[in-house]
Amino acid sequence: MGSRSFVCPGRVNLIGEHIDYNGGMVLPAALDLNIKLTLEEREDEEIVLSSENVDYAERFNLKEDIVFNKNNRWTNYPKGVIKALIDKGFNISKGFNARYSSSIPLGSGLSSSAAMEVVTAYGICSLFNINLSKKDISVLCKSVENNFIGVNCGIMDQFAVAMGKKDNAIMLNCDTLEFNYVPMNLRDYRFIIVNTNKPRELIKSEYNTRLRECNEGLLILKEKLSINTLCELTLEKFKEYSYLIKNHNILKRLTHVISENHRVSLAKAALSNGFIEDFGQLMVKSHISLRDNYEVTGLELDTIFQEALKVKGCIGSRMTGAGFGGCNISLVHKDNSEEFKDKVSKGYKNTTGLNCDFYICNINNGVREVL
Ligand code: GLA
């Protein structure tokens, strides 16, 4: 029987960090690092999940109750998606073999998990003629992450990897899911992604803590203001009402969210007009706010940030993704990219003892079938 193959990219967020679950604007882009899925229909009702990267596979019957594997196996992502499709009443009429391979560095903050969810949903929908748009698929996969995997993430990652467009960033309103594509007009500059290679241990607990702090702040502000999300507040309105927030940490978290959301609009305008230096400055401000107000950076990300900005031709730099390790993204003149890699890797090694990796950021399409 024939097989069909699908790829889904990872994503990088250019600016707008820790904004999606606060209902604001983000500016991510899909990468040309992918998870590839090959699907092959079977004659029975068995589902077999395997990977070329990880030596662990799972097999179960389509009619079985699909449950989370408590040892945190990678198969939880496809299992969650299959369960969500079945629970929604879609007809997966036969078993299948699903084989995955990834060029996205796993656990590096470039959304390998969102890519695995979205490629699974898109592949199965294509194979069984299930009529779900890419946007619907991203919403379904976010709910898998929230309800099956147990991570309270926002919509940004799943949306970006599903809806990405070559050479464009996506300006997404995370409250309404309205979006538009922003052409990358970088003149002689390139985005370079730097992987700290720092394992992200703290991420789940700290991520949920930040979410809780934002929700606490929102509840207090709602006593006086008629808002549904923090990002409905302008900077001016927030200044006027910030006296209501007595807890210093919560005040800092909100200061980040509202200023970052404002920076995304400025960044979009800068990018659209080719004002690359202004975009770079906004990246720097974003990192500083994530470091000082949101407190999600840490030694590794702060070291890359500092080393990057010392290099001639680097006009912007920031952490990207959830933080606590993972990746940085820097905006570097094309003539300086080799010098950038050399100096940043030496400076980083000196301070942290770790080696970092670099990826030239080519922006590609979202999930799709390949021949
Ligand atoms: C992770 C989450 C996203 C988003 C970012 C921070 O990538 O999955 O939903 O909250 O962190 O911007």
Side-chain angles (χ1 to χ4, degrees):
M1 190 170 300
S3 61
R4 289 171 70 179
S5 294
F6 306 87
V7 291
C8 186
R11 68 94 189 90
V12 66
N13 189 20
L14 304 182
I15 195 160
E17 219 61 83
H18 289 279
I19 289 298
D20 57 355
Y21 54 85
N22 288 306
M25 311 295 291
V26 293
L27 196 64
L31 296 171
D32 65 354
L33 301 164
N34 292 308
I35 291 194
K36 182 173 180 188
L37 164 65
T38 301
L39 282 179
E40 190 184 28
E41 248 182 61
R42 296 171 59 98
E43 286 309 321
D44 55 18
E45 292 182 338
E46 295 290 292
I47 294 180
V48 183
L49 306 172
S50 67
S51 159
E52 278 167 29
N53 304 80
V54 189
D55 187 20
Y56 175 79
E58 244 181 85
R59 179 184 183 120
F60 51 93
N61 190 285
L62 191 52
K63 299 280 153 63
E64 262 172 50
D65 193 18
I66 299 177
V67 289
F68 185 83
N69 183 320
K70 292 194 196 70
N71 296 323
N72 274 320
R73 299 296 193 171
W74 69 269
T75 43
N76 282 323
Y77 297 106
K79 282 164 74 181
V81 170
I82 296 165
K83 180 171 162 51
L85 287 168
I86 294 173
D87 288 351
K88 279 200 169 294
F90 293 118
N91 183 23
I92 301 180
S93 48
K94 276 184 177 169
F96 53 84
N97 299 326
R99 185 144 179 93
Y100 295 84
S101 67
S102 177
S103 63
I104 308 173
L106 301 176
S108 62
L110 299 179
S111 290
S112 51
S113 56
M116 182 166 288
E117 290 154 3
V118 168
V119 79
T120 304
Y122 188 78
I124 294 177
C125 288
S126 308
L127 201 63
F128 296 102
N129 293 317
I130 295 170
N131 191 12
L132 275 185
S133 68
K134 289 186 183 177
K135 203 167 169 177
D136 294 340
I137 284 177
S138 68
V139 173
L140 178 115
C141 292
K142 172 192 180 278
S143 79
V144 169
E145 191 83 41
N146 296 160
N147 305 322
F148 192 80
I149 306 293
V151 176
N152 292 317
C153 67
I155 186 69
M156 174 172 75
D157 303 347
Q158 288 78 9
F159 195 96
V161 303
M163 303 292 290
K165 181 172 167 189
K166 190 170 167 50
D167 297 330
N168 282 259
I170 307 171
M171 177 85 171
L172 171 66
N173 178 325
C174 299
D175 190 29
T176 61
L177 297 193
E178 281 164 332
F179 70 101
N180 51 286
Y181 292 112
V182 185
M184 283 289 169
N185 183 6
L186 297 183
R187 303 202 322 258
D188 286 337
Y189 290 87
R190 302 285 173 269
F191 283 117
I192 298 181
I193 297 171
V194 192
N195 187 350
T196 61
N197 287 321
K198 156 96 193 326
R200 299 187 305 155
E201 293 118 5
L202 282 171
I203 185 165
K204 202 163 166 181
S205 63
E206 290 295 329
Y207 190 93
N208 288 341
T209 306
R210 294 300 177 281
L211 177 69
R212 203 190 58 237
E213 290 168 332
C214 288
N215 287 341
E216 268 179 47
L218 176 63
L219 269 184
I220 296 168
L221 293 172
K222 272 179 149 180
E223 286 169 16
K224 292 268 189 244
L225 289 163
S226 128
I227 50 170
N228 292 317
T229 69
L230 283 179
C231 289
E232 283 170 43
L233 287 178
T234 58
L235 276 174
E236 291 69 36
K237 251 289 176 286
F238 177 59
K239 275 186 198 134
E240 199 183 327
Y241 285 89
S242 58
Y243 72 91
L244 291 168
I245 311 286
K246 309 286 184 228
N247 179 303
H248 184 58
N249 274 344
I250 297 189
L251 185 60
K252 286 203 294 186
R253 308 303 183 238
L254 268 50
T255 302
H256 166 72
V257 169
I258 288 147
S259 64
E260 179 79 351
N261 191 44
H262 180 63
R263 277 187 288 275
V264 180
S265 309
L266 300 178
K268 188 214 167 198
L271 201 56
S272 306
N273 293 313
F275 297 156
I276 301 306
E277 291 78 6
D278 294 351
F279 190 90
Q281 276 308 306
L282 291 162
M283 293 175 77
V284 171
K285 287 187 180 149
S286 167
H287 184 95
I288 292 173
S289 176
L290 287 155
R291 183 189 67 196
D292 299 344
N293 293 323
Y294 221 63
E295 298 179 284
V296 290
T297 54
L299 175 71
E300 293 77 8
L301 284 167
D302 289 334
T303 303
I304 301 278
F305 172 73
Q306 279 158 18
E307 294 299 326
L309 290 174
K310 283 185 200 162
V311 181
K312 184 171 156 255
C314 174
I315 58 168
S317 187
R318 60 183 289 277
M319 57 152 273
T320 180
F324 301 106
C327 287
N328 160 287
I329 179 167
S330 294
L331 190 50
V332 185
H333 194 280
K334 66 175 174 25
D335 296 342
N336 301 102
S337 49
E338 286 313 310
E339 182 187 348
F340 177 85
K341 289 183 198 167
D342 187 50
K343 292 202 166 144
V344 170
S345 55
K346 283 189 186 133
Y348 184 61
K349 177 94 181 178
N350 272 344
T351 308
T352 65
L354 294 171
N355 293 313
C356 55
D357 288 322
F358 299 89
Y359 319 106
I360 296 294
C361 173
N362 294 317
I363 297 189
N364 210 336
N365 292 318
V367 68
R368 59 202 183 269
E369 182 160 11
V370 288
L371 291 177

